[in-house]
Amino acid sequence: MAMNTTLINKLIDEKHSIQDNILRIDTKVVNPIGISDYQVNLLTTQRNAMMVVLNILNLRIADLSVEDD
């Protein structure tokens, strides 16, 4: 069980890091000064992929939290 808590904490740290990166991308996409349309499209695609990872992390955290009970 203690192992799950350690893993959950690592996953939460990873989740926060990805959320920070998503917010940075959002800022650039909303105000794309000096960024080409192609780069904006790539950033949007990158953001979408990061959202998939974020959703999976949330599912993993939820599942491990249930197992811990």
Side-chain angles (χ1 to χ4, degrees), residues 5-68:
T5 304
T6 303
L7 178 56
I8 289 169
N9 288 336
K10 285 181 181 178
L11 293 174
I12 289 170
D13 287 345
E14 185 177 348
K15 172 184 164 176
H16 290 156
S17 175
I18 290 173
Q19 285 173 322
D20 289 344
N21 288 334
I22 288 170
L23 288 174
R24 278 191 218 105
I25 289 173
D26 286 347
T27 302
K28 288 179 182 171
V29 170
V30 168
N31 192 16
I33 294 171
I35 302 173
S36 69
D37 289 347
Y38 182 60
Q39 283 294 319
V40 170
N41 288 338
L42 290 173
L43 281 169
T44 302
T45 303
Q46 181 177 336
R47 183 195 191 281
N48 292 341
M50 292 171 98
M51 287 300 296
V52 171
V53 172
L54 189 63
N55 290 334
I56 293 167
L57 285 170
N58 283 328
L59 291 170
R60 291 186 65 202
I61 291 164
D63 180 61
L64 290 167
S65 297
V66 170
E67 285 179 19
D68 227 12

